[in-house]
Amino acid sequence: MSAVVTVGLDLAKHVFQVHAVDVAGRVVTTRAIRRKDVLTFFESLPCCLIGLEACGSAHHWARELTKFGHEVRLMPPAYVKAYLRRQKNDAADAAAICEAVTRPSMRFVPVRSVENQAALMHHMVRELLVAQRTQLLNALRSHLAEIGIIAAQGPNNARALATLVIEGNDMIPVAVRSALLPLVHQLTELDDEIRQSDRAIMALAKADETARRLMTVPGIGPVTASALVASVQDISAFSGPREFAAFLGLTPRQNSSGGKERLGRVSKMGNRYLRKLLVVGAHAVLFHRRRSSDALRSWADRLLEAKPFKLVAVATANKLARIVFALMRDVTHYAGTPA
């Protein structure tokens, strides 16, 4: 085992797979290890390069293995798949990881600290709570429609239905009101929890200088700024603003060959949460563009003269991503008027 220089570790819940090679690439060992024996096994190895897929619990294991002096690199699973030969199983996955981690062209994922993961958890928890609130509003709307009570689109109008249930409106039978009261009470609790999440995210954004700088950009508020800062730890990993926008899935999908370019719709690859926040921010910029005449809104006005609104919204989100890249790379401030 003293000859091991590179290890591919396939993570799991209980049984982990190890594929270790020496300096010449010859296989030293391939074995399955129980979860309780993983740290003991790697503590006995000499300092080496360990490859992991950036999946659930990967950052935890990377932090633990780094304590033993190993160099741990995380890779996107989609990039590792190209090195998988024929059948897929744990041993083949570990071998593919071991091969992929040595490639100079491989893009690696920075290991996150516990504090950084906690910041992202605030966003994920808020996203889950908002989704649950939407489910409750939809359920309330559909149930009341069964007795002939409807409301216009939008969450505020759905909340008006909740008010009718609480007040005991004459249009709602007592039996129906009794059945729907648990939904209304849960909706109130979710509103309180979401407000607490908003306050926590606002505090994170105000405490970070980069997030405060990003909030000067139109369409970017505390939630988006905090999510960008927490998700993108090292902006220098991207060669330029176009690559950053491509990372967020805001550039066209290509199917080019033979020197002929074929561009389709946006790829929607990368971080779905950040992409959604930027698109929502782009819609806010377009809806309120009459209030200001800065460069971004003037550019959007000219684009709307020739393109439909949906395409301009995605293009504006792409533009916001490029502005974010510039502000995170250089310690500068947005030159336009804050939103």
Side-chain angles (χ1 to χ4, degrees):
M1 299 301 293
S2 61
V4 172
V5 296
T6 307
V7 178
L9 177 62
D10 184 50
L11 300 178
K13 186 176 182 180
H14 296 298
V15 181
F16 296 63
Q17 186 71 35
V18 169
H19 185 95
V21 300
D22 60 14
V23 67
R26 291 186 294 266
V27 178
V28 176
T29 182
T30 58
R31 55 182 293 188
I33 305 177
R34 301 293 299 183
R35 182 184 184 92
K36 61 183 179 62
D37 300 323
V38 170
L39 294 180
T40 303
F41 173 80
F42 282 98
E43 187 177 14
S44 64
L45 287 182
C47 295
C48 58
L49 173 63
I50 302 175
L52 305 175
E53 286 184 324
C55 56
S57 76
H59 293 279
H60 162 72
W61 288 109
R63 290 191 296 265
E64 293 299 318
L65 296 178
T66 302
K67 296 177 182 178
F68 300 137
H70 300 300
E71 181 183 359
V72 183
R73 296 180 181 177
L74 306 183
M75 298 167 289
Y79 291 0
V80 177
K81 187 174 179 61
Y83 298 90
L84 187 63
R85 301 174 186 173
R86 291 183 177 269
Q87 303 298 328
K88 183 189 184 306
N89 52 59
D90 290 346
D93 287 343
I97 293 170
C98 187
E99 175 71 18
V101 75
T102 61
R103 298 299 90 197
S105 60
M106 178 58 62
R107 170 167 287 175
F108 299 103
V109 178
V111 179
R112 299 187 182 279
S113 64
V114 175
E115 292 75 15
N116 181 257
Q117 288 187 299
L120 289 173
M121 287 177 190
H122 279 292
H123 289 272
M124 296 301 102
V125 169
R126 181 186 183 277
E127 189 78 353
L128 177 62
L129 294 176
V130 170
Q132 291 177 344
R133 182 174 64 181
T134 302
Q135 290 176 344
L136 289 176
L137 291 174
N138 290 338
L140 191 63
R141 184 192 295 273
S142 61
H143 288 315
L144 288 177
E146 294 294 331
I147 60 172
I149 300 176
I150 62 173
Q153 292 184 352
N156 291 332
N157 295 313
R159 289 176 188 281
L161 297 178
T163 303
L164 293 179
V165 174
I166 294 176
E167 294 176 350
N169 191 279
D170 295 336
M171 296 184 297
I172 304 176
V174 175
V176 173
R177 179 175 182 270
S178 175
L180 297 183
L181 272 176
L183 294 182
V184 177
H185 294 326
Q186 191 173 358
L187 181 62
T188 303
E189 293 177 1
L190 281 175
D191 285 336
D192 293 338
E193 296 293 340
I194 291 172
R195 278 192 289 270
Q196 292 183 19
S197 293
D198 287 337
R199 287 193 289 268
I201 292 174
M202 175 70 78
L204 290 173
K206 287 183 176 180
D208 189 273
E209 195 275 333
T210 303
R212 293 197 304 270
R213 200 161 63 242
L214 293 180
M215 284 191 289
T216 63
V217 181
I220 295 182
V223 174
T224 307
S226 174
L228 285 166
V229 171
S231 301
V232 185
Q233 300 183 83
D234 183 16
I235 197 67
S236 63
F238 302 97
S239 61
R242 177 175 174 79
E243 187 178 7
F244 180 61
F247 161 74
L248 296 175
L250 292 170
T251 53
R253 182 188 295 272
Q254 287 198 41
N255 187 23
S256 305
S257 180
K260 184 175 182 180
E261 288 191 357
R262 297 184 181 89
L263 302 180
R265 298 186 177 184
V266 290
S267 66
K268 293 187 179 180
M269 297 179 180
N271 193 312
R272 179 187 302 178
Y273 181 61
L274 293 182
R275 182 172 62 253
K276 186 196 78 169
L277 291 177
L278 288 174
V279 171
V280 171
H283 277 80
V285 170
L286 296 178
F287 281 127
H288 303 289
R289 63 186 183 279
R290 303 300 181 190
R291 298 181 182 179
S292 179
S293 59
D294 65 344
L296 178 62
R297 293 182 175 95
S298 299
W299 170 83
D301 274 331
R302 293 193 300 271
L303 205 59
L304 282 170
E305 296 174 0
K307 301 290 184 181
F309 185 88
K310 288 184 178 180
L311 293 181
V312 177
V314 176
T316 305
N318 186 302
K319 180 74 75 173
L320 289 176
R322 294 172 181 241
I323 295 173
V324 165
F325 175 85
L327 295 184
M328 294 184 73
R329 182 189 59 182
D330 306 320
V331 186
T332 57
H333 294 273
Y334 179 66
T337 304

